[in-house]
Amino acid sequence: MIKFLKEWGIFLLIIVAIILSRIFIWSLVIVDGHSMDPTLADKERLAIVKTSSIDRFDIVVAKEETSTGDTKDIVKRVIGMPGDVIKFNNDKLTINNKVYSETYLNNFHKQLANGTLAETYGAYPLTNSLTEQNRNLFVSLAENTKAFTTDSTGNPSFTVTVPKGEYFLMGDNRVVSQDSRAVGTFKRSAIIGEAKLRIWPLNKISLLK
């Protein structure tokens, strides 16, 4: 037994450390759908840190309760922190009376302004999670939206007060994303962790901002 521990002890400790860190510190998630385009694409793989503190504009993975009572993991961006007052007015974001520039939306803002966003949506490949009906809906939304960021009723000017202890999450692809505008805010316990690293595809491995 002593000989076995001398030969394999360090190796076993490394395996145990990896398993424990996988359970308590980090995890992997697959992006499902187009709600984080163009920042993150459908089927990309991310590494998340469960112990990370959550700050405004972090990309996080959270558990969302579905209409059937089940839960699913979603990837969204933190826009509102607990107690924040968020205002959108024709794509200008103000939080607690301070204006913020959402540079990560610049690409789709430009496409919406020049009329090419609907074409981008129309070119999405059909998958098990994206039917032709849903893709056509995306195109229609892009053609008819009053701004890139609207509330759940299509109003380009709206205000949200985030409850204490909760977070307002939104997808970067605001025209098609189902997020806190429709399903409400998320408690801290529903946020699994912060997405830190894109690990797949290999040619797009990068830290996330």
Side-chain angles (χ1 to χ4, degrees):
M1 183 66 176
I2 294 176
K3 181 180 179 181
F4 173 82
L5 290 175
K6 285 182 177 179
E7 293 179 352
W8 294 96
I10 294 177
F11 176 75
L12 291 175
L13 285 174
I14 292 173
I15 295 298
V16 170
I18 291 173
I19 293 173
L20 290 176
S21 67
R22 174 67 174 82
I23 295 172
F24 297 107
I25 298 176
W26 63 275
S27 187
L28 301 176
V29 68
I30 300 175
V31 179
D32 184 17
H34 295 278
S35 70
M36 282 298 293
D37 286 350
T39 307
L40 299 171
D42 184 36
K43 305 310 178 192
E44 289 185 343
R45 271 70 166 175
L46 313 176
I48 68 172
V49 177
K50 298 179 180 180
T51 56
S52 179
S53 60
I54 303 302
D55 296 316
R56 184 177 290 111
F57 302 125
D58 285 346
I59 297 175
V60 299
V61 177
K63 287 195 174 295
E64 178 188 320
E65 186 172 339
T66 67
S67 58
T68 60
D70 298 323
T71 60
K72 63 177 181 179
D73 292 349
I74 60 170
V75 182
K76 304 293 180 184
R77 190 183 296 272
V78 177
I79 301 300
M81 301 288 287
D84 278 350
V85 178
I86 304 167
K87 297 181 180 179
F88 278 96
N89 184 18
N90 293 306
D91 290 331
K92 183 176 78 171
L93 169 62
T94 303
I95 304 175
N96 302 328
N97 297 316
K98 179 181 178 180
V99 176
Y100 287 85
S101 176
E102 297 187 278
T103 55
Y104 45 85
L105 303 183
N106 285 349
N107 185 26
F108 275 9
H109 275 159
K110 291 177 181 177
Q111 290 189 39
L112 180 62
N114 63 27
T116 59
L117 184 59
E119 296 176 13
T120 296
Y121 290 166
Y124 282 163
L126 298 179
T127 63
N128 291 336
S129 58
L130 181 66
T131 65
E132 184 173 3
Q133 182 180 8
N134 285 336
R135 186 174 65 183
N136 291 340
L137 174 61
F138 289 178
V139 171
S140 177
L141 290 171
E143 291 173 340
N144 294 285
T145 188
K146 297 177 182 177
F148 189 67
T149 303
T150 66
D151 67 9
S152 59
T153 66
N155 192 333
S157 297
F158 61 97
T159 301
V160 175
T161 299
V162 184
K164 296 292 185 181
E166 302 192 12
Y167 297 78
F168 195 85
L169 309 182
M170 300 178 72
D172 287 358
N173 195 359
R174 302 281 168 76
V175 174
V176 304
S177 175
Q178 290 291 308
D179 47 44
S180 285
R181 292 170 293 172
V183 302
T185 52
F186 289 76
K187 295 180 179 179
R188 180 62 182 86
S189 59
I191 299 178
I192 301 170
E194 180 187 359
K196 290 284 194 178
L197 178 69
R198 175 171 29 215
I199 62 173
W200 184 267
L202 294 178
N203 65 343
K204 294 180 69 177
I205 290 178
S206 60
L207 294 173
L208 300 178
K209 299 179 180 180

